[in-house]
Amino acid sequence: MATLRMLWMELVLLGILGVLQTQAQVSVQPDFQQDKFLGRWFSAGLASNSSWFREKKSMLSMCKSVVTPTADGGLNLTSTFLRKNQCETRTMLLQPTGNPGSYSYLSPHWGSTHAVSVVETNYKEYALLFSQGTKGPGQDFHMATLYSRTQTPRAELKEKFADFCKAHGFTENDIVFLPQNDKCLKEQE
Ligand SMILES: *[C@@H]1O[C@H](CO)[C@@H](O)[C@H](O)[C@H]1NC(C)=O
Ligand SMILES: *[C@@H]1O[C@H](CO)[C@@H](O)[C@H](O)[C@H]1NC(C)=O
């Protein structure tokens, strides 16, 4: 089951960053400015209705993601996270969809496709993302993510995220605020 676990880990990391747009149900930050979205984010909150997530959510911790632009106009999302007591780094490349703030992610290993959208952001403090499987394994996977520029988001921001999750059909039980894990968050880069 180690491989399945890695698929979910990928999806979680993906969620960490954004959202998606299949049937245009998901809105995107108006006038999205990708250059202001770049840089370092911390995944402070997650919500998902997958059973894997429900089982594992108490074991997940905050991870750090560095977002840089790619040549094709998409994003390079490089995340550092704790796994088996070691810090691991994984890069995911999000392709542009032509709609600013909406990206698609093709898992090279699984062949599944996911839509990722930045639903709302003020760039300097937080971003709310929504991700959804569109093809292949994990197709019924829906995830909302709170990205924070700091490791300690304000209480108002957590409330905002909880409201956002409920508006996207998640229950209180599906939401988790991730604890800091000093081991992999320490270095400043
Ligand atoms: C998660 O929610 C979506 C939207 O309501 C649904 O289509 C999907 O089947 C759900 N997935 C699971 C694993 O419950
Ligand atoms: C993505 O970013 C990481 C870290 O900055 C870098 O090592 C990697 O080469 C980049 N990959 C691509 C395809 O841009």
Side-chain angles (χ1 to χ4, degrees):
M1 285 296 97
T3 48
L4 187 58
R5 189 172 190 282
M6 278 319 288
L7 169 61
W8 288 114
M9 184 58 82
E10 257 185 41
L11 294 175
V12 165
L13 288 172
L14 181 61
I16 275 155
L17 153 207
V19 175
L20 104 85
Q21 54 64 261
T22 337
Q23 317 296 19
Q25 275 298 51
V26 176
S27 60
V28 175
Q29 170 65 43
D31 191 28
F32 179 73
Q33 291 167 275
Q34 182 171 285
D35 56 326
K36 291 166 88 182
F37 182 71
L38 304 177
R40 192 182 56 189
W41 290 101
F42 296 98
S43 60
L46 291 175
S48 174
N49 65 351
S50 86
S51 48
W52 182 91
F53 182 80
R54 281 189 181 130
E55 240 173 73
K56 302 291 183 195
K57 66 179 185 181
S58 62
M59 292 157 64
L60 300 171
S61 58
M62 192 176 284
C63 79
K64 180 181 71 177
S65 295
V66 176
V67 182
T68 54
T70 55
D72 67 358
L75 297 175
N76 173 337
L77 174 64
T78 297
S79 304
T80 307
F81 59 98
L82 189 66
R83 182 163 178 256
K84 292 185 181 147
N85 214 29
Q86 307 245 23
C87 297
E88 286 193 21
T89 296
R90 179 164 293 229
T91 291
M92 280 174 288
L93 298 174
L94 304 186
Q95 286 153 350
T97 60
N99 183 10
S102 293
Y103 301 91
S104 73
Y105 171 69
L106 174 72
S107 170
H109 194 74
W110 300 94
S112 55
T113 306
H114 306 269
V116 179
S117 306
V118 183
V119 178
E120 186 182 321
T121 182
N122 65 358
Y123 306 103
K124 58 186 194 334
E125 187 188 16
Y126 75 94
L128 304 175
L129 296 132
F130 185 80
S131 311
Q132 176 175 318
T134 54
K135 220 167 78 187
Q139 199 166 350
D140 60 359
F141 182 87
H142 285 212
M143 169 169 278
T145 309
L146 169 64
Y147 263 16
S148 170
R149 288 292 190 187
T150 70
Q151 293 178 33
T152 49
R154 291 182 297 123
E156 292 85 346
L157 209 50
K158 292 184 173 181
E159 258 170 57
K160 191 181 181 65
F161 178 64
D163 290 344
F164 172 74
C165 292
K166 286 171 197 156
H168 284 77
F170 298 108
T171 66
E172 197 80 56
N173 228 3
D174 298 332
I175 304 172
V176 62
F177 290 100
L178 302 171
Q180 285 169 259
N181 110 57
D182 290 337
K183 197 172 168 160
C184 306
L185 300 177
K186 222 174 256 169
E187 350 79 276
Q188 282 305 294
E189 202 356 84

